[in-house]
Each structure stands twice: as C-alpha cells, then as structure tokens.
Amino acid sequence: MCTARPADDAVASVQSSVTTTDAQLSESMRQLDAVNPVRIMPLKSIKVITDDKPIDALVDSGAQIVLLNKSIFPGNVHSVGEIRVQGIFGDAVTAAVVPVEVKRCNDDIGERGICMLTEPMQIFCGLVDNIASGYDMILPTEIAD
C-alpha cells in the first residue's frame, strides 16, 4: 500500500480524467455505428508511476521496445546506448536507451481513493520526442500484461 503523497493525488486525477475519456469514446462509438460502418477500436492504456510522476502508458501490441517521452526526464539521464526507432509514419529517429524504474498502478483503488502500486520493475526505455497524443509512454503488450 502506498501512503498519501502529492503524486498519489495526481494518480487519482489521471484516473478520473481517463474514465471520462473512455465514457466519451464509448458514446462517440455508438453514434458512429449508427451513421458509419467504420468501427474505431478504443485504445488500451494503463497508469504507471516513474520518477514519482504518474503517467498514462499506451499499450501497443505492435511495439517491440518501451518508449518514453523525453520530457519526463528533463535533466541528464544515464544512457546505456542508442537504438533506431521507426514509427508507423515518418522517418526513423535515434533514441537514447535508459534504465527506468516503473510501478504499475493497479485497477484497485484504496479506501482513500489512492491507487495501489505494484512492486517496481526496471525497464530499458528508448527516449523519444514525440509519442502518441495524450500518452508519455508506449508499452509492448508483453510488458503491460
């Protein structure tokens, strides 16, 4: 169980805003189904804590490496190497590979509205400038599950 800290309040805030977004997406999908046969699948995401910051991580079944927005670590970070990252669109970019400690915020909410955190795990991430809008991390499905 984690104790109440400012980061915990932020996690609760992130959770409530994501819930609203999911509800709005579901309603939009229902409206689209009535007018348009194109089905838009909802994105899957999880909440994680890294460097005491709550962030939304997009779960991507096509990802081969964890990617993290550079803005999460504005100072110097200890890079252990580099990797070329090719997104679905655009040119490949070079990303520094850094070790990052990540805690997953479980779906269970404690009695004070605080999320319960898993044990920390160290993940090697590629630091990039641009990640999917609204997310600061992309996690391969194998790591998120």
Side-chain angles (χ1 to χ4, degrees):
M1 181 186 276
C2 59
T3 57
R5 296 187 323 214
D8 295 326
D9 293 338
V11 170
S13 174
V14 168
Q15 288 172 333
S16 65
S17 67
V18 171
T19 301
T20 301
T21 302
D22 288 345
Q24 291 170 340
L25 179 61
S26 294
E27 179 58 30
S28 295
M29 286 175 53
R30 278 192 287 277
Q31 291 173 358
L32 279 174
D33 285 344
V35 177
N36 191 344
V38 175
R39 174 124 181 163
I40 298 172
M41 301 307 293
L43 297 174
K44 182 177 177 185
S45 65
I46 63 172
K47 288 92 180 145
V48 298
I49 306 289
T50 185
D51 198 32
D52 290 327
K53 297 174 189 155
I55 60 174
D56 279 326
L58 176 66
V59 178
D60 185 348
S61 62
Q64 294 177 301
I65 184 173
V66 178
L67 297 177
L68 185 61
N69 195 334
K70 279 184 186 178
S71 66
I72 297 297
F73 298 105
N76 285 338
V77 293
H78 175 67
S79 173
V80 296
E82 293 182 335
I83 189 169
R84 295 283 293 162
V85 178
Q86 175 64 58
I88 191 165
F89 298 107
D91 297 325
V93 296
T94 300
V97 176
V98 298
V100 177
E101 189 173 278
V102 176
K103 297 176 190 172
R104 181 175 177 168
C105 185
N106 292 330
D107 294 332
D108 300 328
I109 303 296
E111 58 194 41
R112 295 185 185 139
I114 299 168
C115 77
M116 309 304 281
L117 300 176
T118 62
E119 292 295 318
M121 61 181 156
Q122 188 170 15
I123 300 175
F124 288 92
C125 303
L127 291 183
V128 294
D129 285 320
N130 296 314
I131 290 193
S133 179
Y135 300 94
D136 285 312
M137 179 180 275
I138 296 178
L139 283 173
T141 304
E142 293 79 13
I143 293 176
D145 289 340

